[in-house]
Each structure stands twice: as structure tokens, then as C-alpha cells.
mmCIF file of all heavy atoms in Angstrom:
data_model
loop_
_atom_site.group_PDB
_atom_site.id
_atom_site.type_symbol
_atom_site.label_atom_id
_atom_site.label_comp_id
_atom_site.label_asym_id
_atom_site.label_seq_id
_atom_site.Cartn_x
_atom_site.Cartn_y
_atom_site.Cartn_z
ATOM 1 N N ILE T 1 -13.654 -10.273 -4.165
ATOM 2 C CA ILE T 1 -12.416 -9.899 -4.852
ATOM 3 C C ILE T 1 -11.200 -10.229 -4.001
ATOM 4 O O ILE T 1 -10.120 -10.517 -4.519
ATOM 5 C CB ILE T 1 -12.420 -8.409 -5.254
ATOM 6 C CG1 ILE T 1 -11.310 -8.143 -6.299
ATOM 7 C CG2 ILE T 1 -12.267 -7.494 -4.031
ATOM 8 C CD1 ILE T 1 -11.379 -6.782 -6.943
ATOM 9 N N ALA T 2 -11.376 -10.272 -2.675
ATOM 10 C CA ALA T 2 -10.242 -10.549 -1.794
ATOM 11 C C ALA T 2 -9.701 -11.959 -2.013
ATOM 12 O O ALA T 2 -8.490 -12.150 -2.188
ATOM 13 C CB ALA T 2 -10.644 -10.338 -0.338
ATOM 14 N N PHE T 3 -10.593 -12.963 -2.011
ATOM 15 C CA PHE T 3 -10.075 -14.311 -2.257
ATOM 16 C C PHE T 3 -10.035 -14.623 -3.749
ATOM 17 O O PHE T 3 -9.311 -15.522 -4.192
ATOM 18 C CB PHE T 3 -10.896 -15.362 -1.497
ATOM 19 C CG PHE T 3 -12.148 -15.829 -2.176
ATOM 20 C CD1 PHE T 3 -12.129 -16.918 -3.037
ATOM 21 C CD2 PHE T 3 -13.363 -15.196 -1.937
ATOM 22 C CE1 PHE T 3 -13.290 -17.358 -3.654
ATOM 23 C CE2 PHE T 3 -14.525 -15.632 -2.544
ATOM 24 C CZ PHE T 3 -14.487 -16.714 -3.411
ATOM 25 N N GLY T 4 -10.790 -13.843 -4.551
ATOM 26 C CA GLY T 4 -10.766 -14.034 -5.999
ATOM 27 C C GLY T 4 -9.432 -13.708 -6.631
ATOM 28 O O GLY T 4 -9.177 -14.090 -7.777
ATOM 29 N N ALA T 5 -8.573 -13.015 -5.893
ATOM 30 C CA ALA T 5 -7.230 -12.717 -6.396
ATOM 31 C C ALA T 5 -6.417 -13.984 -6.627
ATOM 32 O O ALA T 5 -5.362 -13.937 -7.267
ATOM 33 C CB ALA T 5 -6.500 -11.808 -5.418
ATOM 34 N N PHE T 6 -6.897 -15.126 -6.124
ATOM 35 C CA PHE T 6 -6.123 -16.357 -6.208
ATOM 36 C C PHE T 6 -6.731 -17.365 -7.185
ATOM 37 O O PHE T 6 -6.300 -18.514 -7.226
ATOM 38 C CB PHE T 6 -5.973 -16.958 -4.805
ATOM 39 C CG PHE T 6 -5.294 -16.011 -3.857
ATOM 40 C CD1 PHE T 6 -6.040 -15.202 -3.009
ATOM 41 C CD2 PHE T 6 -3.916 -15.877 -3.844
ATOM 42 C CE1 PHE T 6 -5.424 -14.294 -2.152
ATOM 43 C CE2 PHE T 6 -3.289 -14.981 -3.000
ATOM 44 C CZ PHE T 6 -4.035 -14.183 -2.148
ATOM 45 N N TYR T 7 -7.723 -16.934 -7.970
ATOM 46 C CA TYR T 7 -8.221 -17.786 -9.038
ATOM 47 C C TYR T 7 -7.253 -17.764 -10.220
ATOM 48 O O TYR T 7 -6.582 -16.751 -10.462
ATOM 49 C CB TYR T 7 -9.590 -17.299 -9.517
ATOM 50 C CG TYR T 7 -10.750 -17.786 -8.698
ATOM 51 C CD1 TYR T 7 -11.382 -16.958 -7.784
ATOM 52 C CD2 TYR T 7 -11.215 -19.087 -8.834
ATOM 53 C CE1 TYR T 7 -12.456 -17.400 -7.025
ATOM 54 C CE2 TYR T 7 -12.280 -19.547 -8.086
ATOM 55 C CZ TYR T 7 -12.897 -18.705 -7.180
ATOM 56 O OH TYR T 7 -13.946 -19.158 -6.431
ATOM 57 N N PRO T 8 -7.198 -18.843 -11.017
ATOM 58 C CA PRO T 8 -6.360 -18.805 -12.223
ATOM 59 C C PRO T 8 -6.749 -17.668 -13.161
ATOM 60 O O PRO T 8 -5.891 -16.948 -13.672
ATOM 61 C CB PRO T 8 -6.609 -20.180 -12.857
ATOM 62 C CG PRO T 8 -7.007 -21.055 -11.711
ATOM 63 C CD PRO T 8 -7.781 -20.165 -10.776
ATOM 64 N N PHE T 9 -8.058 -17.520 -13.412
ATOM 65 C CA PHE T 9 -8.571 -16.442 -14.253
ATOM 66 C C PHE T 9 -9.292 -15.459 -13.347
ATOM 67 O O PHE T 9 -10.215 -15.828 -12.612
ATOM 68 C CB PHE T 9 -9.534 -17.015 -15.302
ATOM 69 C CG PHE T 9 -10.224 -15.989 -16.156
ATOM 70 C CD1 PHE T 9 -9.497 -15.169 -17.007
ATOM 71 C CD2 PHE T 9 -11.606 -15.839 -16.122
ATOM 72 C CE1 PHE T 9 -10.138 -14.221 -17.801
ATOM 73 C CE2 PHE T 9 -12.256 -14.907 -16.910
ATOM 74 C CZ PHE T 9 -11.514 -14.095 -17.748
ATOM 75 N N MET T 10 -8.889 -14.183 -13.397
ATOM 76 C CA MET T 10 -9.438 -13.186 -12.480
ATOM 77 C C MET T 10 -10.087 -12.061 -13.269
ATOM 78 O O MET T 10 -9.405 -11.213 -13.846
ATOM 79 C CB MET T 10 -8.347 -12.628 -11.569
ATOM 80 C CG MET T 10 -8.894 -11.714 -10.477
ATOM 81 S SD MET T 10 -7.595 -10.882 -9.530
ATOM 82 C CE MET T 10 -8.610 -10.064 -8.284
ATOM 83 N N ARG T 11 -11.426 -12.069 -13.294
ATOM 84 C CA ARG T 11 -12.168 -11.044 -14.019
ATOM 85 C C ARG T 11 -13.366 -10.582 -13.196
ATOM 86 O O ARG T 11 -14.108 -11.391 -12.643
ATOM 87 C CB ARG T 11 -12.669 -11.587 -15.364
ATOM 88 C CG ARG T 11 -13.412 -10.541 -16.198
ATOM 89 C CD ARG T 11 -13.898 -11.087 -17.517
ATOM 90 N NE ARG T 11 -15.102 -11.916 -17.373
ATOM 91 C CZ ARG T 11 -15.913 -12.264 -18.365
ATOM 92 N NH1 ARG T 11 -15.635 -11.860 -19.612
ATOM 93 N NH2 ARG T 11 -16.971 -13.011 -18.168
ATOM 94 N N GLY T 12 -13.562 -9.277 -13.130
ATOM 95 C CA GLY T 12 -14.778 -8.698 -12.592
ATOM 96 C C GLY T 12 -15.731 -8.389 -13.723
ATOM 97 O O GLY T 12 -15.316 -7.918 -14.786
ATOM 98 N N HIS T 13 -17.033 -8.642 -13.499
ATOM 99 C CA HIS T 13 -18.006 -8.481 -14.580
ATOM 100 C C HIS T 13 -19.340 -8.036 -13.982
ATOM 101 O O HIS T 13 -19.579 -8.188 -12.785
ATOM 102 C CB HIS T 13 -18.158 -9.811 -15.318
ATOM 103 C CG HIS T 13 -18.890 -9.735 -16.632
ATOM 104 N ND1 HIS T 13 -19.094 -8.561 -17.316
ATOM 105 C CD2 HIS T 13 -19.465 -10.703 -17.391
ATOM 106 C CE1 HIS T 13 -19.744 -8.809 -18.432
ATOM 107 N NE2 HIS T 13 -19.990 -10.103 -18.496
ATOM 108 N N ALA T 14 -20.206 -7.468 -14.814
ATOM 109 C CA ALA T 14 -21.521 -7.013 -14.357
ATOM 110 C C ALA T 14 -22.483 -7.009 -15.530
ATOM 111 O O ALA T 14 -22.111 -6.674 -16.661
ATOM 112 C CB ALA T 14 -21.434 -5.611 -13.760
ATOM 113 N N SER T 15 -23.730 -7.364 -15.274
ATOM 114 C CA SER T 15 -24.754 -7.320 -16.304
ATOM 115 C C SER T 15 -25.204 -5.878 -16.528
ATOM 116 O O SER T 15 -24.889 -4.975 -15.741
ATOM 117 C CB SER T 15 -25.953 -8.192 -15.909
ATOM 118 O OG SER T 15 -26.586 -7.668 -14.764
ATOM 119 N N ASN T 16 -25.979 -5.688 -17.588
ATOM 120 C CA ASN T 16 -26.380 -4.324 -17.951
ATOM 121 C C ASN T 16 -27.448 -3.743 -17.027
ATOM 122 O O ASN T 16 -27.730 -2.546 -17.085
ATOM 123 C CB ASN T 16 -26.857 -4.280 -19.407
ATOM 124 C CG ASN T 16 -27.997 -5.270 -19.680
ATOM 125 O OD1 ASN T 16 -28.449 -5.982 -18.788
ATOM 126 N ND2 ASN T 16 -28.436 -5.308 -20.929
ATOM 127 N N ASN T 17 -28.046 -4.570 -16.188
ATOM 128 C CA ASN T 17 -29.056 -4.053 -15.255
ATOM 129 C C ASN T 17 -28.589 -4.124 -13.801
ATOM 130 O O ASN T 17 -29.389 -4.048 -12.874
ATOM 131 C CB ASN T 17 -30.377 -4.816 -15.414
ATOM 132 C CG ASN T 17 -30.205 -6.317 -15.203
ATOM 133 O OD1 ASN T 17 -29.097 -6.785 -14.962
ATOM 134 N ND2 ASN T 17 -31.298 -7.053 -15.307
ATOM 135 N N ALA T 18 -27.276 -4.278 -13.606
ATOM 136 C CA ALA T 18 -26.704 -4.339 -12.260
ATOM 137 C C ALA T 18 -25.977 -3.040 -11.948
ATOM 138 O O ALA T 18 -25.726 -2.208 -12.836
ATOM 139 C CB ALA T 18 -25.743 -5.515 -12.147
ATOM 140 N N ASN T 19 -25.627 -2.869 -10.689
ATOM 141 C CA ASN T 19 -24.874 -1.676 -10.312
ATOM 142 C C ASN T 19 -23.448 -1.751 -10.850
ATOM 143 O O ASN T 19 -22.987 -2.801 -11.310
ATOM 144 C CB ASN T 19 -24.876 -1.482 -8.785
ATOM 145 C CG ASN T 19 -24.287 -2.682 -8.029
ATOM 146 O OD1 ASN T 19 -24.068 -3.752 -8.583
ATOM 147 N ND2 ASN T 19 -24.034 -2.490 -6.755
ATOM 148 N N ASN T 20 -22.759 -0.632 -10.806
ATOM 149 C CA ASN T 20 -21.361 -0.616 -11.226
ATOM 150 C C ASN T 20 -20.546 -1.506 -10.289
ATOM 151 O O ASN T 20 -20.726 -1.476 -9.069
ATOM 152 C CB ASN T 20 -20.804 0.805 -11.202
ATOM 153 C CG ASN T 20 -21.401 1.668 -12.297
ATOM 154 O OD1 ASN T 20 -21.773 1.177 -13.358
ATOM 155 N ND2 ASN T 20 -21.508 2.962 -12.041
ATOM 156 N N LYS T 21 -19.638 -2.277 -10.886
ATOM 157 C CA LYS T 21 -18.858 -3.224 -10.093
ATOM 158 C C LYS T 21 -17.356 -3.049 -10.282
ATOM 159 O O LYS T 21 -16.583 -3.996 -10.120
ATOM 160 C CB LYS T 21 -19.288 -4.657 -10.423
ATOM 161 C CG LYS T 21 -20.751 -4.946 -10.058
ATOM 162 C CD LYS T 21 -21.177 -6.368 -10.396
ATOM 163 C CE LYS T 21 -22.657 -6.577 -10.105
ATOM 164 N NZ LYS T 21 -23.121 -7.943 -10.454
ATOM 165 N N GLU T 22 -16.937 -1.832 -10.637
ATOM 166 C CA GLU T 22 -15.510 -1.555 -10.614
ATOM 167 C C GLU T 22 -15.065 -1.440 -9.149
ATOM 168 O O GLU T 22 -15.878 -1.097 -8.283
ATOM 169 C CB GLU T 22 -15.193 -0.269 -11.362
ATOM 170 C CG GLU T 22 -15.516 -0.318 -12.854
ATOM 171 C CD GLU T 22 -16.988 -0.100 -13.139
ATOM 172 O OE1 GLU T 22 -17.668 0.581 -12.328
ATOM 173 O OE2 GLU T 22 -17.488 -0.623 -14.156
ATOM 174 N N PRO T 23 -13.809 -1.710 -8.844
ATOM 175 C CA PRO T 23 -13.369 -1.732 -7.441
ATOM 176 C C PRO T 23 -13.605 -0.441 -6.670
ATOM 177 O O PRO T 23 -13.717 -0.473 -5.439
ATOM 178 C CB PRO T 23 -11.869 -2.041 -7.559
ATOM 179 C CG PRO T 23 -11.737 -2.787 -8.840
ATOM 180 C CD PRO T 23 -12.754 -2.170 -9.763
ATOM 181 N N TRP T 24 -13.702 0.696 -7.356
ATOM 182 C CA TRP T 24 -13.890 1.975 -6.668
ATOM 183 C C TRP T 24 -15.362 2.340 -6.493
ATOM 184 O O TRP T 24 -15.677 3.363 -5.892
ATOM 185 C CB TRP T 24 -13.199 3.097 -7.439
ATOM 186 C CG TRP T 24 -13.668 3.225 -8.861
ATOM 187 C CD1 TRP T 24 -14.776 3.878 -9.317
ATOM 188 C CD2 TRP T 24 -13.038 2.658 -10.022
ATOM 189 N NE1 TRP T 24 -14.889 3.760 -10.673
ATOM 190 C CE2 TRP T 24 -13.831 3.026 -11.139
ATOM 191 C CE3 TRP T 24 -11.888 1.903 -10.236
ATOM 192 C CZ2 TRP T 24 -13.499 2.638 -12.433
ATOM 193 C CZ3 TRP T 24 -11.565 1.524 -11.520
ATOM 194 C CH2 TRP T 24 -12.364 1.895 -12.610
ATOM 195 N N ALA T 25 -16.264 1.494 -7.013
ATOM 196 C CA ALA T 25 -17.680 1.855 -7.051
ATOM 197 C C ALA T 25 -18.380 1.728 -5.698
ATOM 198 O O ALA T 25 -19.538 2.137 -5.567
ATOM 199 C CB ALA T 25 -18.405 0.983 -8.073
ATOM 200 N N PHE T 26 -17.687 1.193 -4.692
ATOM 201 C CA PHE T 26 -18.342 0.886 -3.417
ATOM 202 C C PHE T 26 -17.837 1.736 -2.255
ATOM 203 O O PHE T 26 -18.150 1.464 -1.103
ATOM 204 C CB PHE T 26 -18.137 -0.601 -3.093
ATOM 205 C CG PHE T 26 -18.574 -1.513 -4.200
ATOM 206 C CD1 PHE T 26 -17.653 -1.985 -5.131
ATOM 207 C CD2 PHE T 26 -19.898 -1.871 -4.333
ATOM 208 C CE1 PHE T 26 -18.049 -2.812 -6.164
ATOM 209 C CE2 PHE T 26 -20.306 -2.699 -5.370
ATOM 210 C CZ PHE T 26 -19.390 -3.170 -6.296
ATOM 211 N N GLY T 27 -17.048 2.755 -2.565
ATOM 212 C CA GLY T 27 -16.543 3.621 -1.512
ATOM 213 C C GLY T 27 -15.108 3.313 -1.145
ATOM 214 O O GLY T 27 -14.522 2.322 -1.591
ATOM 215 N N PRO T 28 -14.507 4.167 -0.310
ATOM 216 C CA PRO T 28 -13.072 4.075 0.009
ATOM 217 C C PRO T 28 -12.652 2.754 0.648
ATOM 218 O O PRO T 28 -11.572 2.240 0.354
ATOM 219 C CB PRO T 28 -12.852 5.245 0.965
ATOM 220 C CG PRO T 28 -13.965 6.201 0.680
ATOM 221 C CD PRO T 28 -15.134 5.358 0.291
ATOM 222 N N GLU T 29 -13.491 2.194 1.545
ATOM 223 C CA GLU T 29 -13.078 0.970 2.234
ATOM 224 C C GLU T 29 -12.897 -0.190 1.257
ATOM 225 O O GLU T 29 -11.854 -0.859 1.259
ATOM 226 C CB GLU T 29 -14.101 0.580 3.303
ATOM 227 C CG GLU T 29 -13.709 -0.703 4.049
ATOM 228 C CD GLU T 29 -14.789 -1.210 4.984
ATOM 229 O OE1 GLU T 29 -15.941 -0.741 4.891
ATOM 230 O OE2 GLU T 29 -14.476 -2.111 5.793
ATOM 231 N N ILE T 30 -13.885 -0.433 0.406
ATOM 232 C CA ILE T 30 -13.811 -1.563 -0.526
ATOM 233 C C ILE T 30 -12.786 -1.280 -1.624
ATOM 234 O O ILE T 30 -12.161 -2.205 -2.147
ATOM 235 C CB ILE T 30 -15.198 -1.875 -1.113
ATOM 236 C CG1 ILE T 30 -16.166 -2.223 0.014
ATOM 237 C CG2 ILE T 30 -15.118 -3.020 -2.107
ATOM 238 C CD1 ILE T 30 -15.710 -3.351 0.935
ATOM 239 N N GLU T 31 -12.606 -0.009 -1.950
ATOM 240 C CA GLU T 31 -11.539 0.322 -2.901
ATOM 241 C C GLU T 31 -10.190 -0.111 -2.353
ATOM 242 O O GLU T 31 -9.367 -0.682 -3.074
ATOM 243 C CB GLU T 31 -11.544 1.824 -3.184
ATOM 244 C CG GLU T 31 -10.473 2.245 -4.184
ATOM 245 C CD GLU T 31 -10.474 3.741 -4.435
ATOM 246 O OE1 GLU T 31 -11.574 4.324 -4.560
ATOM 247 O OE2 GLU T 31 -9.369 4.332 -4.502
ATOM 248 N N GLN T 32 -9.953 0.140 -1.075
ATOM 249 C CA GLN T 32 -8.684 -0.262 -0.477
ATOM 250 C C GLN T 32 -8.593 -1.780 -0.332
ATOM 251 O O GLN T 32 -7.525 -2.370 -0.532
ATOM 252 C CB GLN T 32 -8.490 0.397 0.889
ATOM 253 C CG GLN T 32 -7.141 0.095 1.547
ATOM 254 C CD GLN T 32 -5.958 0.446 0.654
ATOM 255 O OE1 GLN T 32 -5.929 1.504 0.016
ATOM 256 N NE2 GLN T 32 -4.975 -0.446 0.595
ATOM 257 N N VAL T 33 -9.705 -2.428 -0.007
ATOM 258 C CA VAL T 33 -9.732 -3.895 0.025
ATOM 259 C C VAL T 33 -9.320 -4.449 -1.340
ATOM 260 O O VAL T 33 -8.498 -5.371 -1.440
ATOM 261 C CB VAL T 33 -11.139 -4.403 0.410
ATOM 262 C CG1 VAL T 33 -11.263 -5.913 0.172
ATOM 263 C CG2 VAL T 33 -11.451 -4.086 1.859
ATOM 264 N N SER T 34 -9.877 -3.871 -2.394
ATOM 265 C CA SER T 34 -9.564 -4.303 -3.755
ATOM 266 C C SER T 34 -8.101 -4.049 -4.088
ATOM 267 O O SER T 34 -7.438 -4.897 -4.697
ATOM 268 C CB SER T 34 -10.465 -3.578 -4.757
ATOM 269 O OG SER T 34 -11.832 -3.811 -4.491
ATOM 270 N N ARG T 35 -7.606 -2.903 -3.701
ATOM 271 C CA ARG T 35 -6.210 -2.571 -3.984
ATOM 272 C C ARG T 35 -5.263 -3.572 -3.326
ATOM 273 O O ARG T 35 -4.298 -4.044 -3.943
ATOM 274 C CB ARG T 35 -5.910 -1.143 -3.511
ATOM 275 C CG ARG T 35 -4.506 -0.653 -3.864
ATOM 276 C CD ARG T 35 -4.312 0.798 -3.464
ATOM 277 N NE ARG T 35 -5.151 1.700 -4.266
ATOM 278 C CZ ARG T 35 -6.231 2.314 -3.809
ATOM 279 N NH1 ARG T 35 -6.633 2.142 -2.549
ATOM 280 N NH2 ARG T 35 -6.931 3.105 -4.605
ATOM 281 N N THR T 36 -5.543 -3.901 -2.083
ATOM 282 C CA THR T 36 -4.707 -4.886 -1.388
ATOM 283 C C THR T 36 -4.770 -6.236 -2.084
ATOM 284 O O THR T 36 -3.745 -6.900 -2.297
ATOM 285 C CB THR T 36 -5.154 -5.027 0.078
ATOM 286 O OG1 THR T 36 -5.024 -3.767 0.733
ATOM 287 C CG2 THR T 36 -4.315 -6.066 0.815
ATOM 288 N N ALA T 37 -5.993 -6.651 -2.447
ATOM 289 C CA ALA T 37 -6.151 -7.935 -3.124
ATOM 290 C C ALA T 37 -5.401 -7.958 -4.456
ATOM 291 O O ALA T 37 -4.715 -8.936 -4.789
ATOM 292 C CB ALA T 37 -7.636 -8.219 -3.352
ATOM 293 N N LEU T 38 -5.505 -6.884 -5.225
ATOM 294 C CA LEU T 38 -4.837 -6.827 -6.521
ATOM 295 C C LEU T 38 -3.325 -6.766 -6.364
ATOM 296 O O LEU T 38 -2.581 -7.380 -7.140
ATOM 297 C CB LEU T 38 -5.357 -5.632 -7.320
ATOM 298 C CG LEU T 38 -6.827 -5.729 -7.733
ATOM 299 C CD1 LEU T 38 -7.314 -4.411 -8.314
ATOM 300 C CD2 LEU T 38 -7.035 -6.860 -8.725
ATOM 301 N N ASN T 39 -2.859 -6.038 -5.372
ATOM 302 C CA ASN T 39 -1.425 -6.011 -5.120
ATOM 303 C C ASN T 39 -0.905 -7.392 -4.754
ATOM 304 O O ASN T 39 0.199 -7.786 -5.154
ATOM 305 C CB ASN T 39 -1.093 -5.015 -4.012
ATOM 306 C CG ASN T 39 -1.176 -3.571 -4.472
ATOM 307 O OD1 ASN T 39 -1.112 -3.286 -5.670
ATOM 308 N ND2 ASN T 39 -1.331 -2.649 -3.535
ATOM 309 N N ARG T 40 -1.683 -8.141 -3.977
ATOM 310 C CA ARG T 40 -1.288 -9.514 -3.648
ATOM 311 C C ARG T 40 -1.202 -10.351 -4.928
ATOM 312 O O ARG T 40 -0.252 -11.116 -5.131
ATOM 313 C CB ARG T 40 -2.305 -10.144 -2.684
ATOM 314 C CG ARG T 40 -2.333 -9.535 -1.298
ATOM 315 C CD ARG T 40 -3.456 -10.141 -0.457
ATOM 316 N NE ARG T 40 -2.931 -10.934 0.643
ATOM 317 C CZ ARG T 40 -3.651 -11.772 1.384
ATOM 318 N NH1 ARG T 40 -4.943 -11.943 1.119
ATOM 319 N NH2 ARG T 40 -3.097 -12.462 2.368
ATOM 320 N N ARG T 41 -2.208 -10.218 -5.783
ATOM 321 C CA ARG T 41 -2.223 -10.959 -7.047
ATOM 322 C C ARG T 41 -0.977 -10.653 -7.875
ATOM 323 O O ARG T 41 -0.294 -11.569 -8.370
ATOM 324 C CB ARG T 41 -3.471 -10.583 -7.835
ATOM 325 C CG ARG T 41 -3.513 -11.083 -9.297
ATOM 326 C CD ARG T 41 -3.914 -12.501 -9.366
ATOM 327 N NE ARG T 41 -4.105 -12.993 -10.729
ATOM 328 C CZ ARG T 41 -4.802 -14.071 -11.029
ATOM 329 N NH1 ARG T 41 -5.383 -14.755 -10.071
ATOM 330 N NH2 ARG T 41 -4.910 -14.494 -12.271
ATOM 331 N N TYR T 42 -0.689 -9.384 -8.030
ATOM 332 C CA TYR T 42 0.410 -9.004 -8.919
ATOM 333 C C TYR T 42 1.771 -9.356 -8.341
ATOM 334 O O TYR T 42 2.698 -9.689 -9.086
ATOM 335 C CB TYR T 42 0.304 -7.522 -9.285
ATOM 336 C CG TYR T 42 -0.634 -7.301 -10.450
ATOM 337 C CD1 TYR T 42 -2.015 -7.352 -10.272
ATOM 338 C CD2 TYR T 42 -0.158 -7.083 -11.731
ATOM 339 C CE1 TYR T 42 -2.887 -7.187 -11.341
ATOM 340 C CE2 TYR T 42 -1.012 -6.900 -12.805
ATOM 341 C CZ TYR T 42 -2.383 -6.966 -12.602
ATOM 342 O OH TYR T 42 -3.235 -6.814 -13.671
ATOM 343 N N ARG T 43 1.919 -9.305 -7.034
ATOM 344 C CA ARG T 43 3.179 -9.746 -6.433
ATOM 345 C C ARG T 43 3.402 -11.239 -6.661
ATOM 346 O O ARG T 43 4.537 -11.704 -6.756
ATOM 347 C CB ARG T 43 3.203 -9.449 -4.935
ATOM 348 C CG ARG T 43 3.373 -7.989 -4.578
ATOM 349 C CD ARG T 43 4.192 -7.821 -3.312
ATOM 350 N NE ARG T 43 5.599 -8.109 -3.531
ATOM 351 C CZ ARG T 43 6.516 -8.165 -2.567
ATOM 352 N NH1 ARG T 43 6.153 -7.974 -1.306
ATOM 353 N NH2 ARG T 43 7.774 -8.430 -2.842
ATOM 354 N N LEU T 44 2.303 -11.980 -6.769
ATOM 355 C CA LEU T 44 2.393 -13.436 -6.944
ATOM 356 C C LEU T 44 2.539 -13.864 -8.403
ATOM 357 O O LEU T 44 2.616 -15.061 -8.682
ATOM 358 C CB LEU T 44 1.147 -14.105 -6.366
ATOM 359 C CG LEU T 44 1.225 -14.655 -4.942
ATOM 360 C CD1 LEU T 44 -0.063 -15.386 -4.599
ATOM 361 C CD2 LEU T 44 2.413 -15.590 -4.755
ATOM 362 N N LEU T 45 2.559 -12.927 -9.348
ATOM 363 C CA LEU T 45 2.596 -13.308 -10.755
ATOM 364 C C LEU T 45 3.751 -14.255 -11.106
ATOM 365 O O LEU T 45 3.555 -15.174 -11.912
ATOM 366 C CB LEU T 45 2.633 -12.070 -11.649
ATOM 367 C CG LEU T 45 1.293 -11.355 -11.857
ATOM 368 C CD1 LEU T 45 1.464 -10.162 -12.790
ATOM 369 C CD2 LEU T 45 0.218 -12.297 -12.400
ATOM 370 N N PRO T 46 4.954 -14.086 -10.553
ATOM 371 C CA PRO T 46 5.999 -15.069 -10.878
ATOM 372 C C PRO T 46 5.617 -16.489 -10.472
ATOM 373 O O PRO T 46 5.931 -17.456 -11.182
ATOM 374 C CB PRO T 46 7.213 -14.563 -10.081
ATOM 375 C CG PRO T 46 6.975 -13.092 -9.920
ATOM 376 C CD PRO T 46 5.486 -12.961 -9.753
#
């Protein structure tokens, strides 16, 4: 998700037999990693 913030199309996805893959599903550290990545993406929207 950190470098995925710079793809043209940015989507997280998971199959029905996989673990949860929302940014908060992996604990506080990865949640913050995701938040930083998403903030970078949104600042770059222009």
C-alpha cells in the first residue's frame, strides 16, 4: 500500500477465503503506514 499510493488506479481487494485486508486489519503499525500512504496520495490529487 505504501508504493501502491502512486498507481493510477488504487484499490485494495481480498478474496472470500483470505484474511481481512482493510488498512486497520494488521495492527497499529501498518494502520499508520497506510494512513501516511493515503495522505500522500490525497495530497497529490491535483
Side-chain angles (χ1 to χ4, degrees):
I1 196 170
F3 84 90
F6 301 96
Y7 276 103
F9 175 64
M10 187 187 185
R11 182 180 77 164
H13 193 17
S15 65
N16 56 1
N17 57 359
N19 58 348
N20 290 330
K21 297 180 184 179
E22 296 80 28
W24 57 83
F26 306 95
E29 180 188 13
I30 300 305
E31 181 181 318
Q32 184 55 44
V33 168
S34 302
R35 185 176 293 107
T36 300
L38 294 171
N39 285 340
R40 292 175 113 193
R41 170 80 174 200
Y42 276 77
R43 287 215 73 187
L44 264 185
L45 281 181

